[in-house]
Amino acid sequence: RPSIVPLEGAGKSIRWAAVFGNGYNDLGSGEAKLFVLFLEEGLDGTWSPGTDYIEISTGVGTVADRNGLSTPAVVDTDGDGRADRVYAGDLEGNMWAFDLSGANTGNWGVAFRDGRTPTPLYRSPAGQPITSTPVIVRNKSMPTSNFNTPNTLVIFGTGQYLTVGDISTTGIQSMVGVWDSGDGGLTQADLVPQYIGLGATPDGTIGRTLTSNPVDYTVSKGWYINLPDPGERQVTDPVIRGDLVFFNTTSPDVNPCDAGGTSWLMVADWLTGGAPLQAAFDINNDFTVDENDTIKDQPAAGMQASGIAAAPVNLANKRYTSTTQTSG
């Protein structure tokens, strides 16, 4: 999906552009690529590379092993009203950062390089493709006045559900929050793990819990959560609300007579990937978000649903009780 955004033009002017990934299984070089297409340039009926549109390749992917870039998230990191940074994942499990700052399009490109080789912000473990769009928030624990440093948390899940063969895959997938502080080439070794547990609410409803391991951003670059169920993956876009990130995971079912699979509706503190501080949703379906939506005196982090869940949506901002954090 494209994003229509303002970019910096000559003399601090604005150039409107459509920013999008090349999609999956690129039929050209097979590489994952970002496209920036200037909208007004199409008025003459032609599209010339380098002027009417900019093509930025990650260099990852071949004709024999085709890659592709997923839908990007486009942000304005310095608050000047013009987009300047783009984040998008690919089928090889890389989360890329692209620098679109300044009016000189010749300087635009992949934000990190090892010599002349483009380097992703983050490399997932093998077998963890990224097919959803990340959500971006500013890292509130690391305030900075240096606008040359992005200081953003890039939050996304891994997994693929595009082909018939994807139904039966069972590799471990993850939910990840990576801090873009100006360093690329990050891996899980640079992040703090959080762990999913299982338990029951006071009335016996089964749900998930999350650990709350501290994340010290002076030494770590974020967090990750490995999804425990066989075949479980995160293929829909997460949603930020307040201090929480809501995300739905899916475990497809190979039996065509069933509901297609099962899903977990999940919530975590987006800064640490840990458990929410207060009850975040009505896990026991009593129409109240309160202390009965806890497991082992900890706010529930997940509730199971039948079928394949779409992306989460939060409606309204009603507070049911004094202990409620959100009604999502």
Side-chain angles (χ1 to χ4, degrees):
R1 298 186 301 275
S3 294
I4 309 300
V5 298
L7 298 170
E8 184 174 337
K12 298 295 183 180
S13 63
I14 286 179
R15 299 186 74 184
W16 287 93
V19 179
F20 52 92
N22 64 329
Y24 307 126
N25 300 318
D26 179 85
L27 296 180
S29 65
E31 299 172 353
K33 301 175 182 178
L34 183 76
F35 284 86
V36 181
L37 186 148
F38 296 110
L39 300 184
E40 74 277 8
E41 301 300 336
L43 296 178
D44 61 3
T46 62
W47 294 98
S48 301
T51 54
D52 294 349
Y53 68 90
I54 308 299
E55 178 181 338
I56 303 174
S57 178
T58 64
V60 177
T62 65
V63 173
D65 185 14
R66 298 185 185 277
N67 194 7
L69 201 69
S70 301
T71 297
V74 189
V75 295
D76 169 18
T77 62
D78 59 9
D80 68 351
R82 297 166 177 82
D84 52 41
R85 206 165 185 86
V86 178
Y87 299 96
D90 70 13
L91 295 182
E92 299 292 330
N94 300 299
M95 176 54 65
W96 297 94
F98 300 88
D99 182 2
L100 304 186
S101 60
N104 186 352
T105 60
N107 292 334
W108 295 358
V110 175
F112 305 107
R113 290 183 175 272
D114 183 3
R116 293 187 176 183
T117 303
T119 299
L121 168 66
Y122 173 82
R123 293 187 177 95
S124 300
Q128 290 196 344
I130 302 169
T131 57
S132 58
T133 306
V135 290
I136 314 299
V137 290
R138 189 165 296 279
N139 187 347
K140 61 184 180 181
S141 72
M142 300 296 287
T144 178
S145 58
N146 179 9
F147 285 128
N148 291 322
T149 301
N151 195 32
T152 53
L153 277 176
V154 184
I155 302 173
F156 59 94
T158 72
Q160 179 174 305
Y161 192 43
L162 301 173
T163 71
V164 173
D166 293 333
I167 297 175
S168 57
T169 57
T170 58
I172 293 176
Q173 305 297 333
S174 305
M175 190 69 186
V176 184
V178 175
W179 180 33
D180 181 4
S181 62
D183 296 322
L186 304 176
T187 67
Q188 272 194 359
D190 299 297
L191 312 181
V192 173
Q194 303 290 1
Y195 300 97
I196 292 175
L198 202 64
T201 64
D203 65 358
T205 303
I206 300 299
R208 279 180 168 178
T209 60
L210 273 172
T211 57
S212 296
N213 295 326
V215 179
D216 182 355
Y217 281 97
T218 63
V219 295
S220 300
K221 294 294 185 178
W223 51 268
Y224 71 94
I225 307 165
N226 283 339
L227 306 178
D229 288 353
E232 186 176 6
R233 64 204 73 184
Q234 206 277 316
V235 294
T236 61
D237 299 346
V239 172
I240 296 290
R241 186 178 186 193
D243 293 332
L244 302 176
V245 56
F246 291 83
F247 58 99
N248 296 339
T249 70
T250 293
S251 298
D253 195 324
V254 297
N255 188 343
C257 296
D258 290 337
T262 58
S263 300
W264 282 95
L265 315 183
M266 298 288 298
V267 61
D269 182 309
W270 58 252
L271 187 63
T272 66
L277 297 179
Q278 296 173 302
F281 46 45
D282 180 21
I283 183 175
N284 64 354
N285 292 315
D286 65 355
F287 302 102
T288 303
V289 182
D290 57 18
E291 63 276 1
N292 291 318
D293 297 298
T294 60
I295 298 173
K296 301 175 183 178
D297 297 322
Q298 175 183 308
M303 57 186 295
Q304 196 168 32
S306 178
I308 304 297
V313 176
N314 284 311
L315 301 177
N317 193 32
K318 183 176 180 180
R319 294 180 178 271
Y320 290 103
T321 72
S322 61
T323 61
T324 300
Q325 183 170 9
T326 176
S327 61

